[in-house]
Amino acid sequence: MDNTTDGAIAQPETSAWSPLAAVDRRVHELLLRQERQERTTLKLIASENFASSAVLEATGSIFTNKYAEGYPGARYYAGNEIVDELENLAIERLKTLFGSEHANVQPYSGSPANQAVYRALLSPGDKVMGLPLPEGGHLTHGWAINFSGTDYKRVPYGLHEKTQQIDYDRLRETAKREQPRLIWVGGTAYPRIFDYALMAEIALETNSYLVADIAHISGLIVAGAHPNPVCHCDVVTSTSHKSIRGPRGGFILSRNEDRYQALYHPKSKYNLARRIDRAVFPQLQGGPHMNVVAALAVALQEAATPAFRSYGHQIVKNAKALAQALLERGYDLVTGGTDNHMLILDLRDRPLSGKAYAERLANAGIITNFNMVPGDPRDPAVASGIRLGSPAVTSMGMREGEMLQIADFIDLVCRQPNDPDVHTSVRRDVADFCAAFGVPGITDI
Ligand SMILES: *Cc1c(COP(=O)(O)O)cnc(C)c1O
């Protein structure tokens, strides 16, 4: 079996003529090496996935050439009749899939989508409640060094000490005391289902906007494997490249009307939907990436199929199977398990840091990321946890049985973190293991 190190130059997989290879050998070589890495290692990064060949084709299409500042029917450049149809198609598909009144598909990614929400709903200095980064929230939910923490007043909420899940009672108390203008619900390292209905009650009691950030779980929601927050929230933001398996990008769903228009925006002549659109363009962005909008439309078409429904449910089954297998092998998990696609290994009582284990695992072909755990005593730059996710391996067709094998690979490396021979041998076994599966976008073209 192939045991090429990352330094070696991979050979082309096919003899097809490649314009990229003809123009730029170096980038082409890097691409082949990246493809080889993705084929021969286990992608367990919870935020990553494999976009399909159809999504990749649209991403790499001539729609990249078109400037389309503005919105369908109201552009600043001529020649937009076709991309108007394209953007409307993506918008309609999103609205249907999520049951939302309004959709904006232009944000360049998840963080710019969140930035647009701040612009549309708040003024600088307004209070924002979010889950802090070390407890599973995202940078853009009010973390100190992010714009959301410097330009707005941060009011963090947190986890219950025992359950390590959101402490909704304390959240309610804090919200009543602080009267935030906006409350975020969502996270980047939170393995449980959010109580959207309860959060909506709290937001109503405190006249706050409720915004869900479903960047990680949008695919699970579409598949019916996680509750849909759209009916409970004023606004919902997402990336398009995580569990929903689209191109790198972002989108925003919202109601049309602002229920606090009279209270917070009495002078604005624009409703909520228009304010979101205006925040994205022209306040924050210029021309939308129409190739990405095209690829998003394709991904949404794929996400509307019964196959995607089973895919989403299988993601959760796989994460639960991996969690169970790791618990049985003596590992601690944040919250004791998972309801979604991710789990967080708590390595606080182990000799090495999360970063050190993640490096050892990567040497063995198991690609993860280190992550803070609640109450982490280590420096954030090394942390005490590792985040694992099942979306990408599920896209390869793996099921519960394979999760047991993956738990064994992880366990082998973590039990002998300082034995490079073990890592080399696991790396070989991982490559053999992966070779039995297809990789969307890589082995199917
Ligand atoms: C990934 C993520 C984002 C940001 O997405 P980018 O595309 O990396 O900017 C925002 N919020 C959450 C919860 C995320 O997980």
Side-chain angles (χ1 to χ4, degrees), residues 140-396:
T140 53
H141 299 179
W143 190 235
I145 55 170
N146 187 260
F147 81 91
S148 60
T150 54
D151 301 2
Y152 300 87
K153 282 206 197 78
R154 306 178 285 130
V155 183
Y157 61 86
L159 307 176
H160 192 280
E161 222 172 286
K162 274 227 178 67
T163 63
Q164 300 181 313
Q165 302 194 34
I166 292 172
D167 186 341
Y168 291 101
D169 292 336
R170 257 196 322 142
L171 193 165
R172 177 177 250 139
E173 276 170 35
T174 312
K176 284 193 161 159
R177 188 180 61 242
E178 298 284 344
Q179 299 286 317
R181 188 64 58 91
L182 185 157
I183 304 176
W184 283 103
V185 52
T188 180
Y190 188 72
R192 296 296 178 176
I193 284 173
F194 297 95
D195 193 338
Y196 298 118
L198 180 53
M199 295 286 287
E201 261 179 42
I202 296 170
L204 189 65
E205 288 163 11
T206 55
N207 288 336
S208 318
Y209 291 109
L210 183 64
V211 184
D213 179 345
I214 58 168
H216 264 263
I217 51 179
S218 49
L220 303 184
I221 292 167
V222 165
H226 185 104
N228 183 350
V230 163
C231 63
H232 298 293
C233 295
D234 299 284
V235 183
V236 175
T237 66
S238 184
T239 57
S240 47
H241 49 274
K242 297 181 183 176
S243 58
I244 202 165
R245 221 157 68 183
R248 227 176 175 80
F251 58 82
I252 304 175
L253 312 171
S254 75
R255 296 182 176 140
N256 283 327
E257 298 308 322
D258 180 350
R259 59 183 168 140
Y260 300 130
Q261 185 93 15
L263 194 56
Y264 298 137
H265 299 278
K267 295 205 190 95
S268 176
K269 56 182 193 240
Y270 303 112
N271 66 9
L272 179 59
R274 283 294 309 280
R275 294 210 313 277
I276 295 275
D277 285 352
R278 289 171 49 81
V280 174
F281 173 88
Q283 291 174 2
L284 291 169
Q285 297 188 173
H289 299 175
M290 294 316 297
N291 56 320
V292 174
V293 172
L296 174 63
V298 175
L300 296 172
Q301 171 89 333
E302 292 175 343
T305 59
F308 195 89
R309 263 193 101 72
S310 6
Y311 167 67
H313 285 278
Q314 191 63 46
I315 288 177
V316 177
K317 286 187 210 160
N318 284 352
K320 283 182 188 284
L322 184 58
Q324 188 56 35
L326 288 166
L327 289 170
E328 281 164 10
R329 285 158 184 73
Y331 291 87
D332 290 330
L333 298 176
V334 174
T335 77
T338 179
D339 298 326
N340 57 23
H341 63 297
M342 73 165 82
L343 34 145
I344 298 150
L345 271 179
D346 183 341
L347 302 161
R348 273 182 295 184
D349 59 357
R350 306 258 164 173
L352 302 181
S353 69
K355 180 162 192 247
Y357 282 110
E359 280 166 6
R360 304 316 195 264
L361 287 166
N363 290 339
I366 302 163
I367 312 299
T368 66
N369 65 275
F370 65 91
N371 210 97
M372 302 276 281
V373 297
D376 203 318
R378 288 195 176 90
D379 189 274
V382 296
S384 299
I386 287 185
R387 189 181 66 166
L388 305 170
S390 58
V393 291
T394 308
S395 292
M396 291 173 76

